[in-house]
Every structure is written in C-alpha cells, then in structure tokens.
C-alpha cells in the first residue's frame, strides 16, 4: 500500500502538500526537496490509478518515528483511506509514533484529533511552538499526540530536544 517516494513523484507530492497545509506549516519547495537526501527522512505515498492519493512524511530515529506531514488528496477523502494509510504506517514500523497537531480550538482541530484517536493515538498535555519554517513565515503552536500510548514527560523531553536539534535545527535564523 505504501511506496517510498521517488524523484519523479516529487512535484505531485509537493502539490498535495500545498493543497493540504497552510503556508506556515510547510517548507518552501526547495527546502522540502533537500530533506529527501537525508537518510532519517522518508516520504511514503499511496497512488490510485497512477494519481497521488496520499502521503506520509516521516522522520525516523532509533526510538520513535515522527509523522511530520500526512495528507489525503481531496478527491479520495471520506472513504477511509486516511485510516488505512495511518494503519499501514503503524504496521510498517515497530516504534512509537509522535505527531504534531494544532491546539484543539476549533471544529477542524477537534475532528483531526478525533481521527488520530480512532487510529490509536493519544492526545498529550505537551506541546511547543514550531519556529517559522522559512523567512516570512509565522511560528505555529502545536500539541503532541503519540501511538501506541500516552507520551510520558521523559519521552516528551527527549522528543522535544530531538525535534529542535534535528528537524528545526536551522530555523533560528528566521526568528
């Protein structure tokens, strides 16, 4: 079900990312492309009849996976595909998974959290503010969810140290 993104699929992947995420929650095209050179970062895609139906962008560490971006093409939504893709990722990894979501302030955010809870994730009390992903972008407040169990304080600290030193390491220049 999930295949690793190959170079000629980058543009449809990035187009789906642009369609699915606000500008403050995604890197500029070239910066995102450069992540594909990293061994600890992978994009897994699912196609239907040759069309990009969804993707999961995942950072891998020895202790956990970080699902940074996940999207399903609007054309294929509300058919259970999102749950199938998340479950395929869970089966594919033998590590806990951490995700970031926006604080549950509106209906969209509450529905997103409920989707992940239906798929075995737990909403934690922990969060932080993501630094701007590029010049001219805004910081984004986030809360964490985790699978297969609730994030402990020690695991939160480990995760936060990792994400700010690995994923957000070069973003301080944009503050």
């Amino acid at each position: 079900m999930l295949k690793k993104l190959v170079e000629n699929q980058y543009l449809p992947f990035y187009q789906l990312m642009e369609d699915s995420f606000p500008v403050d929650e995604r890197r500029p095209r070239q910066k995102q492309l450069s992540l594909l050179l990293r061994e600890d970062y992978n994009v897994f895609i699912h196609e239907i009849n040759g069309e990009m139906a969804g993707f999961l962008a995942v950072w891998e560490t020895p202790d956990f996976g970080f699902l940074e971006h996940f999207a399903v093409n609007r054309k294929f939504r509300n058919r259970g595909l999102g749950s199938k893709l998340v479950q395929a990722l869970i089966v594919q990894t033998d590590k806990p998974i951490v995700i970031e979501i926006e604080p549950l302030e509106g209906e969209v955010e509450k529905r997103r959290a409920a989707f992940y809870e239906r798929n075995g994730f737990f909403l934690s009390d922990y969060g932080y503010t993501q630094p701007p992903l590029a010049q001219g972008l805004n910081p984004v407040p986030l809360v964490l969810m985790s699978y297969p169990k609730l994030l402990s304080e020690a695991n939160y600290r480990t995760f936060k140290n990792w994400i700010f030193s690995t994923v957000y390491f070069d973003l301080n220049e944009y503050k």
Side-chain angles (χ1 to χ4, degrees), residues 67-84:
L67 176 56
E68 183 178 28
H69 290 102
F70 165 56
V72 173
N73 186 322
R74 290 182 202 282
K75 190 172 169 179
F76 301 104
R77 288 183 189 162
N78 301 315
R79 301 181 195 174
L81 180 59
S83 288
K84 287 178 185 168

Side-chain angles (χ1 to χ4, degrees), residues 104-121:
L104 281 61
E105 295 171 354
E107 277 310 304
V108 170
E109 294 85 358
K110 290 175 185 172
R111 282 197 328 264
R112 184 173 296 119
F115 165 81
Y116 285 111
E117 286 173 336
R118 285 192 305 276
N119 282 282
F121 285 77

Side-chain angles (χ1 to χ4, degrees), residues 35 38 67 88 95 109 156 168:
L35 289 182
R38 296 182 62 109
L67 176 56
K95 302 173 200 167
E109 294 85 358
Y156 163 70
Y168 302 142

Side-chain angles (χ1 to χ4, degrees), residues 28-165:
R29 185 177 302 215
Q30 281 306 116
K31 203 164 191 175
Q32 187 67 42
L33 180 61
S34 70
L35 289 182
L36 298 178
L37 300 174
R38 296 182 62 109
E39 288 196 20
D40 57 351
Y41 180 84
N42 289 296
V43 176
F44 300 101
I45 64 165
H46 178 68
E47 293 179 303
I48 297 176
N49 298 324
E51 187 172 358
M52 179 90 44
F55 73 82
L56 302 106
V58 182
W59 292 82
E60 310 263 345
T61 79
D63 301 318
F64 56 85
F66 168 50
L67 176 56
E68 183 178 28
H69 290 102
F70 165 56
V72 173
N73 186 322
R74 290 182 202 282
K75 190 172 169 179
F76 301 104
R77 288 183 189 162
N78 301 315
R79 301 181 195 174
L81 180 59
S83 288
K84 287 178 185 168
L85 294 177
V86 169
Q87 291 304 313
L89 179 67
I90 287 169
V91 168
Q92 181 175 302
T93 186
D94 58 351
K95 302 173 200 167
I97 301 171
V98 179
I99 61 172
E100 301 166 324
I101 64 170
E102 298 91 347
L104 281 61
E105 295 171 354
E107 277 310 304
V108 170
E109 294 85 358
K110 290 175 185 172
R111 282 197 328 264
R112 184 173 296 119
F115 165 81
Y116 285 111
E117 286 173 336
R118 285 192 305 276
N119 282 282
F121 285 77
F122 292 86
L123 181 63
S124 78
D125 292 330
Y126 304 110
Y128 46 75
T129 299
Q130 171 189 285
L133 294 177
Q135 183 96 32
L137 298 183
N138 297 303
V140 179
L142 298 166
V143 295
L144 300 177
M145 295 186 79
S146 57
Y147 173 91
K149 61 184 180 180
L150 191 60
L151 202 59
S152 69
E153 184 177 349
N155 288 340
Y156 163 70
R157 277 191 250 121
T158 299
F159 177 80
K160 185 177 178 190
N161 288 339
W162 170 82
I163 199 164
F164 277 86
S165 65

Side-chain angles (χ1 to χ4, degrees), residues 6-18:
V6 293
E7 192 175 329
N8 69 343
Q9 297 165 317
Y10 181 75
L11 289 179
F13 152 71
Y14 196 79
Q15 183 62 55
L16 180 53
M17 182 175 276
E18 286 181 322

